[in-house]
């Protein structure tokens, strides 16, 4: 199907003026949405309105500006709670992003873990869901186990079942692979982990923009994501945790906001969610993220998903017809992104030659070096879509890629 689906992409694009520019004298085609999404005017305006009218620190003063800032800040928490269907807004902890959420968790889980305890991650994780656990392993001697890939680069669930044991304390896996776009069977992964008594962290950095996420339905213990991949600002993210689990965890950073009382003899910590939010938070980022959630909620989510699937299917089909292309995970259910290599060519050369034609794609290891090793390649070219991309753009990308391949192989 070569249509732009049932909803109006041209109407959506009016919210993203950044898309209307020439790059290297060609109309910009932005296909690097897995790295970060563009921001709608409503998000940009919400951030500037806050700085223009309401700028004040939150929770700390009884003056009007602070009250307004605090109301917007806490209303945003409620909005995000509803967006992922958390049971309570206390379960929404503001962080800088996915990376900080995982580091926070790795640090506060440490006291519950002892030498020899096991954490399971997977072969297709982003470095943000590998390195914090390796640092913890170095610090306290936990053992890191890795779910391997099957021949078509999906997670090997049979091997995962064999890794699970009563030593497993946490399973930490991506909802959707940032490098390959593959959707992991997280519901099954969570159920199996819970059967052995392990907790589960889902890295939702790539999923929140492309799926309706319901943390209660998933039954994950923790879920993390970044605002900037969801049309929100950079520097704001979320750590969701089940309330009864978060209550048991110690704070991470110390300072203002995370305490109830301080004396030199004894300090008591604040309640959730503030216990984990030391210092002045990214107030403008939180307000921008709430505007991003409002933007998404003003559309039918199913329309977004259908449109993105249409772009993905068209692109994957066209790539599959090019003999020079090696497609990763061909035919496997994906969301948002497709990865490929041009046989005999370096991915960065492909990306640079596409950029010369105004087309922004990503090349390299996508912060997933162990995955590249498992795939036996140094990197891939990744095309990642969002709701404002059009079929015409996908077509132009394919034509430009054909030109690039022809030029390099002449
Ligand atoms: N996890 C995944 C799956 C990602 O795609 C990313 C970013 O690309 C991250 C973690 C890190 O996100 P951030 O850099 O926003 O902290």
């Amino acid at each position: 199907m070569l249509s732009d689906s049932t909803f109006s992409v041209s109407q959506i694009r009016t919210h993203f003026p950044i898309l209307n520019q020439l790059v290297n004298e060609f109309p910009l085609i932005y296909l690097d949405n897995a790295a970060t999404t563009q921001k709608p005017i409503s998000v940009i305006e919400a951030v500037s309105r806050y700085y223009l009218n309401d700028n004040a620190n939150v929770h700390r003063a009884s003056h009007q500006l602070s009250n307004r800032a605090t109301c917007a800040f806490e209303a945003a928490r409620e909005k995000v709670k509803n967006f992922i269907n958390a049971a309570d807004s206390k379960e929404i902890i503001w962080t800088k992003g996915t990376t900080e959420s995982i580091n926070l968790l790795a640090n506060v889980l440490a006291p519950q873990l002892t030498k020899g305890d096991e954490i399971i991650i997977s072969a297709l994780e982003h470095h943000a869901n590998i390195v914090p656990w390796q640092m913890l392993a170095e610090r306290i001697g936990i053992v890191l186990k890795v779910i391997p890939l099957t021949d078509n680069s999906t997670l090997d669930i049979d091997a995962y079942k064999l890794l699970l044991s009563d030593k497993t304390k946490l399973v930490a896996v991506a909802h959707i692979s940032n490098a390959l776009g593959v959707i992991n069977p997280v519901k099954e992964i969570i159920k199996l982990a819970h059967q052995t008594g392990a907790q589960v962290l889902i890295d939702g950095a790539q999923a929140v923009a492309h799926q309706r996420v319901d943390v209660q339905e998933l039954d994950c213990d923790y879920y993390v994501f970044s605002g900037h991949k969801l049309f929100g600002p950079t520097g704001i993210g979320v750590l969701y945790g089940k309330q009864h689990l978060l209550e048991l965890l110690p704070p991470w950073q110390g300072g203002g906001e995370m305490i109830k009382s301080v004396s030199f003899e004894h300090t008591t910590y604040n309640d959730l969610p503030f216990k984990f939010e030391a210092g002045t938070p990214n107030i403008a980022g939180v307000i921008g993220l709430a505007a991003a959630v409002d933007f998404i909620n003003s559309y039918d989510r199913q329309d977004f998903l259908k449109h993105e699937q249409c772009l993905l299917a068209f692109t994957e089909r066209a790539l599959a017809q090019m003999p020079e292309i090696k497609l990763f995970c061909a035919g496997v259910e994906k969301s948002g992104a497709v990865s490929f290599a041009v046989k005999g060519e370096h991915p960065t050369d492909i990306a640079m030659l596409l950029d010369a034609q105004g087309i922004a794609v990503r090349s390299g290891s996508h912060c997933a070096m162990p995955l590249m090793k498992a795939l036996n390649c140094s990197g891939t070219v990744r095309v990642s879509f969002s709701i404002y991309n059009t079929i015409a753009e996908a077509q132009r990308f394919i034509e430009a890629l054909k030109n690039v391949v022809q030029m390099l192989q002449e």
Side-chain angles (χ1 to χ4, degrees):
M1 185 175 69
L2 266 193
S3 81
D4 272 331
S5 178
T6 47
F7 81 117
S8 165
V9 187
S10 47
Q11 191 275 339
I12 295 260
R13 287 177 74 88
T14 62
H15 296 272
F16 296 88
I18 195 171
L19 300 172
N20 301 324
Q21 60 175 291
L22 297 180
V23 168
N24 294 323
E25 295 171 31
F26 288 87
L28 166 66
I29 297 182
Y30 185 77
L31 301 178
D32 193 18
N33 294 286
T36 199
T37 51
Q38 300 302 343
K39 319 305 170 202
I41 295 170
S42 58
V43 167
I44 298 164
E45 285 182 350
V47 171
S48 54
R49 235 187 351 261
Y50 161 72
Y51 280 126
L52 284 169
N53 301 325
D54 303 326
N55 177 50
N57 213 328
V58 288
H59 300 138
R60 298 202 188 150
S62 46
H63 60 79
Q64 264 303 312
L65 260 55
S66 178
N67 285 341
R68 291 209 297 259
T70 304
C71 281
F73 187 80
E74 290 307 324
R77 203 188 299 272
E78 188 66 22
K79 209 161 267 179
V80 169
K81 172 221 138 193
N82 292 332
F83 186 64
I84 60 168
N85 195 31
D88 198 291
S89 60
K90 292 190 190 91
E91 299 178 322
I92 305 297
I93 315 292
W94 301 125
T95 66
K96 271 196 325 207
T98 308
T99 304
E100 189 177 66
S101 298
I102 298 174
N103 277 277
L104 189 165
L105 203 56
N107 277 279
V108 299
L109 284 174
Q112 290 186 0
L113 300 168
T114 50
K115 193 166 182 228
D117 282 347
E118 294 179 359
I119 290 183
I120 297 178
I121 57 173
S122 89
L124 47 66
E125 298 309 310
H126 187 284
H127 297 159
N129 198 28
I130 301 174
V131 184
W133 307 116
Q134 286 177 324
M135 291 163 75
L136 197 59
E138 273 173 27
R139 213 170 98 200
I140 59 172
I142 53 148
V143 178
L144 214 52
K145 299 258 163 150
V146 181
I147 309 170
L149 301 180
T150 60
D151 289 345
N152 65 357
S153 307
T154 56
L155 293 189
D156 186 336
I157 297 300
D158 289 333
Y160 167 58
K161 286 179 190 161
L162 296 176
L163 291 178
L164 282 165
S165 76
D166 57 5
K167 288 192 192 154
T168 313
K169 297 297 178 252
L170 182 78
V171 176
V173 291
H175 198 157
I176 293 177
S177 156
N178 65 305
L180 303 175
V182 172
I183 306 168
N184 291 325
V186 285
K187 218 166 165 192
E188 188 184 357
I189 289 171
I190 294 163
K191 198 166 159 214
L192 288 164
H194 284 169
Q195 281 166 4
T196 66
Q199 296 181 8
V200 185
L201 157 69
I202 301 296
D203 173 353
Q206 292 298 330
V208 278
H210 304 292
Q211 306 234 323
R212 197 182 59 84
V213 171
D214 182 332
V215 290
Q216 292 191 77
E217 194 198 328
L218 283 175
D219 196 27
C220 53
D221 301 293
Y222 309 101
Y223 196 97
V224 294
F225 60 95
S226 304
H228 70 97
K229 296 187 195 280
L230 189 66
F231 314 117
T234 51
I236 185 66
V238 171
L239 162 62
Y240 156 82
K242 285 181 180 164
Q243 185 175 346
H244 71 279
L245 297 176
L246 292 176
E247 300 279 10
L248 296 175
L249 297 172
W252 178 29
Q253 296 177 323
E257 193 72 23
M258 51 73 72
I259 48 83
K260 265 191 183 149
S261 73
V262 177
S263 73
F264 288 120
E265 292 71 38
H266 184 62
T267 288
T268 54
Y269 303 133
N270 211 339
D271 297 325
L272 288 176
F274 312 113
K275 178 171 81 170
F276 295 111
E277 295 180 356
T280 300
N282 181 356
I283 305 163
V286 166
I287 286 167
L289 177 56
V293 169
D294 281 341
F295 175 79
I296 293 169
N297 286 342
S298 69
Y299 292 91
D300 182 340
R301 208 77 209 275
Q302 276 312 107
D303 284 345
F304 279 10
L305 304 185
K306 263 193 263 163
H307 176 62
E308 286 176 358
Q309 282 304 322
C310 184
L311 292 164
L312 206 55
F314 168 79
T315 307
E316 209 172 339
R317 228 176 11 249
L319 289 171
Q321 282 162 13
M322 294 173 65
E324 307 85 354
I325 299 291
K326 175 178 164 43
L327 251 180
F328 292 95
C329 297
V332 175
E333 191 191 359
K334 300 188 189 67
S335 189
V338 57
S339 242
F340 64 92
V342 178
K343 291 170 194 164
E345 307 297 343
H346 198 284
T348 305
D349 293 340
I350 307 297
M352 281 167 61
L353 290 166
L354 288 169
D355 180 57
Q357 300 177 64
I359 302 172
V361 300
R362 177 110 347 195
S363 65
S365 66
H366 316 293
C367 290
M369 286 184 197
L371 172 63
M372 296 301 127
K373 194 168 170 207
L375 296 174
N376 200 20
C377 67
S378 61
T380 77
V381 182
R382 181 188 67 191
V383 176
S384 55
F385 294 106
S386 187
I387 48 159
Y388 36 67
N389 292 124
T390 65
I391 285 290
E393 287 183 323
Q395 279 169 327
R396 203 161 86 63
F397 155 69
I398 294 291
E399 280 158 26
L401 181 64
K402 283 181 180 164
N403 291 340
V404 166
V405 171
Q406 198 180 11
M407 197 178 86
L408 286 171
Q409 303 199 335
E410 256 167 17

